[in-house]
Amino acid sequence: MKTINDFNFKDKRALIRVDFNVPLTNEFEVADKSRIEGAKPSIIKVLEDGGSAILMSHLGRPEGKEEKYSLKHIVNAVSDVLGVKVKFVEDCVGKEAEKAASEIHPGEILLLENLRYYPEEKKGDDEFAEKLSKLGDIYINDAFGTAHRAHASTTVVAKYFEDKAMGLLLQKEIESLDKVLNSTEKPVTAVLGGAKVSSKITVIENILPKVDHLIIGGGMAFTFAKAQGGSIGESLVENDLQELALDILIKAEAQNVKVHLPVDSVVTQEFDNDAETKIEAINAISEGWMGLDAGPQSREIFAKVIAESKIILWNGPLGVFEMDTFSKGTIALGEEIAKATEQGAFSLVGGGDSVSAAKQFGFDKKVSYVSTGGGAMLEMLEGKSLPGIDALK
Ligand code: AMP
C-alpha cells in the first residue's frame, strides 16, 4: 500500500479525505482543533511539494443541508492551524465545486462543503464518488476516524484513481497498532475496561494470542467475578455471558496469557457522585451495593503489571470515570501508564471511550500515541480489515 510520501505533488491537486468532524460551540467556534492538527502534516507535505490540496470531510449528522453543519464555520480555524488562508466552496460536487477545484493554484488549499449534505455519501453511491473524483489528481485518505465506513469519500472514490495513498495520520495509526499487536518486545499488556463484555468480546479473542498480560477492569469485570462464583450485588453484569467469560479465562491460560481481574471494588448504593462508598472484595459485594471503580488493592496489582510492561494497549476506563468519586482507578492506571512510558514503554490508548478519559485527565500528552478513531480502532483491534484502508490497496 502506498503512502503520501511515495508521491511528489508538484503541480498536482491532492484530493484529501480528512476528518474535520470537530466539536463546535454554540457560537460556531471550533472547540477542539486536534483533528485539524492531525491532518496538518499530510496537507503541508502536499503544499511543500508544490501541489494544492482539496480537502473533503463530513461534519456531524445533518439532515439535508442544515446550516449549522456547514464547514464554512471551520474555515478560519483550519486557516489558523495550517498557517495558510483556506478557500471554501459551498458544495462538494458539481459545477461550482469543479470550477473552484480547477482554479486552485499550487500552494493553495480548498475546503469543500459538508459531504453529508448528500445522502449519497453514507450510501457509498458510485455516481457521487465519481463526481468527487473529478476534483483532484491523486486521492489521499487521511481520515482514520471514518476508515471503517464504506462511504463514497472514504472508500468508493478510490477506485476512480490510478494514484492513491494513505495520509500520514492514517499511516501513524496503523503503525502504532502494528507496534502493539506484532511486537517483538515483551511483555505486552492489554488493559480492557469499559462497560460491557459483549462490546469487547471480539477484541479480547483477537488480542489473546498477541499479549502476555490482560488486565480486565470496569463494568466488564463483574461478569467474570460472578461466573467464578462471587457475589457482586447490584453491579453491572451480563448473565448470559458468564460461560463465555470462563471460556476466555481457560483460553488465556492455554495461551500462557496472565489475566488480572480486580480483587476489590469501590461500591455504592446509588449511581451518584455524592453517594456513600466503601471498599469490598469483588466476590463479596453486599446486596444492594454495586461496584463502580477498581479498589486500592486492584490498583496496586495493575500498577505492578504496568510497571514491568514494554508495550501497553489501553482500551476502556476502569470505573465510572465521569464521576469524580469513581474515577480514581482510571486515574491511577493512567498515571502508571504515563510512568512506564517515560521509562521507555510504548503505550497506545484507543478505541471507544478511552480517548475522552485520557484527555479529561491529561494522559493524552503522556502516552506514546492516542488513536484518533474510536470505532475504527476498535474494529482493527477486533482483527477486521477496514474498507477505507482496503480501498487503497
Ligand atoms: P466503553 O465505551 O465500553 O469503553 O465503556 C465506557 C463506559 O463504561 C464509561 O462510560 C464508564 O462510566 C462505564 N463503566 C466503567 N466501569 C463501570 C462500572 N463498574 N459500572 C458501570 N459502568 C462502568
Side-chain angles (χ1 to χ4, degrees), residues 228-303:
Q228 289 174 314
S231 308
I232 58 160
E234 305 305 309
S235 306
L236 199 65
V237 65
E238 288 167 286
N239 282 316
D240 51 332
L241 293 187
Q242 289 183 67
E243 230 172 281
L244 195 71
L246 293 179
D247 192 46
I248 288 171
L249 297 179
I250 292 167
K251 274 191 189 149
E253 198 177 345
Q255 296 180 55
N256 255 334
V257 178
K258 290 204 179 73
V259 178
H260 309 272
L261 284 155
V263 294
D264 57 356
S265 182
V266 180
V267 299
T268 178
Q269 287 171 298
E270 282 168 83
F271 198 80
D272 187 321
N273 194 37
D274 299 320
E276 184 197 339
T277 63
K278 56 183 179 178
I279 307 297
E280 287 191 326
I282 192 114
N283 56 5
I285 296 180
S286 310
E287 241 172 75
W289 293 69
M290 59 188 151
L292 294 187
D293 197 9
Q297 253 183 290
S298 311
R299 291 175 214 163
E300 237 172 80
I301 294 170
F302 298 164

Side-chain angles (χ1 to χ4, degrees), residues 100-345:
S102 70
E103 288 170 354
I104 206 87
H105 299 290
E108 291 182 341
I109 300 170
L110 174 68
L111 176 65
L112 306 178
E113 182 55 287
N114 195 340
L115 291 158
R116 289 198 188 161
Y117 275 3
Y118 290 85
E120 290 91 335
E121 160 67 357
K122 280 176 91 169
K123 286 186 192 143
D125 184 82
D126 252 334
E127 235 174 89
F128 180 71
E130 191 183 6
K131 284 184 191 163
L132 288 173
S133 74
K134 293 186 178 149
L135 305 176
D137 307 309
I138 300 173
Y139 171 66
I140 301 296
N141 189 353
D142 211 15
F144 181 68
T146 47
H148 58 315
R149 309 273 186 227
H151 294 170
S153 69
T154 63
T155 302
V156 186
V157 69
K159 73 177 174 196
Y160 296 103
F161 286 89
E162 191 72 26
D163 293 330
K164 52 196 158 194
M166 55 177 154
L168 296 169
L169 179 66
L170 204 65
Q171 189 183 353
K172 202 161 179 195
E173 294 277 355
I174 295 171
E175 283 172 2
S176 301
L177 195 64
D178 185 63
K179 225 169 173 169
V180 170
L181 296 184
N182 301 310
S183 163
T184 46
E185 270 190 280
K186 282 177 175 301
V188 178
T189 298
V191 186
L192 295 183
K196 291 181 171 176
V197 181
S198 51
S199 63
K200 302 283 162 79
I201 184 67
T202 323
V203 175
I204 299 179
E205 286 176 341
N206 186 51
I207 62 173
L208 265 189
K210 315 187 187 234
V211 301
D212 304 295
H213 295 277
L214 176 61
I215 294 175
I216 296 178
M220 277 205 300
F222 298 101
T223 298
F224 286 84
K226 187 168 179 192
Q228 289 174 314
S231 308
I232 58 160
E234 305 305 309
S235 306
L236 199 65
V237 65
E238 288 167 286
N239 282 316
D240 51 332
L241 293 187
Q242 289 183 67
E243 230 172 281
L244 195 71
L246 293 179
D247 192 46
I248 288 171
L249 297 179
I250 292 167
K251 274 191 189 149
E253 198 177 345
Q255 296 180 55
N256 255 334
V257 178
K258 290 204 179 73
V259 178
H260 309 272
L261 284 155
V263 294
D264 57 356
S265 182
V266 180
V267 299
T268 178
Q269 287 171 298
E270 282 168 83
F271 198 80
D272 187 321
N273 194 37
D274 299 320
E276 184 197 339
T277 63
K278 56 183 179 178
I279 307 297
E280 287 191 326
I282 192 114
N283 56 5
I285 296 180
S286 310
E287 241 172 75
W289 293 69
M290 59 188 151
L292 294 187
D293 197 9
Q297 253 183 290
S298 311
R299 291 175 214 163
E300 237 172 80
I301 294 170
F302 298 164
K304 272 194 193 132
V305 177
I306 295 295
E308 64 180 46
S309 301
K310 289 278 178 292
I311 306 276
I312 302 158
L313 167 73
W314 182 15
N315 169 277
L318 293 191
V320 183
F321 72 96
E322 296 92 338
M323 286 192 259
D324 225 19
T325 312
F326 308 105
S327 63
K328 311 278 186 310
T330 302
I331 293 177
L333 176 79
E335 278 168 359
E336 288 305 324
I337 295 178
K339 232 191 280 171
T341 310
E342 213 179 276
Q343 280 159 17

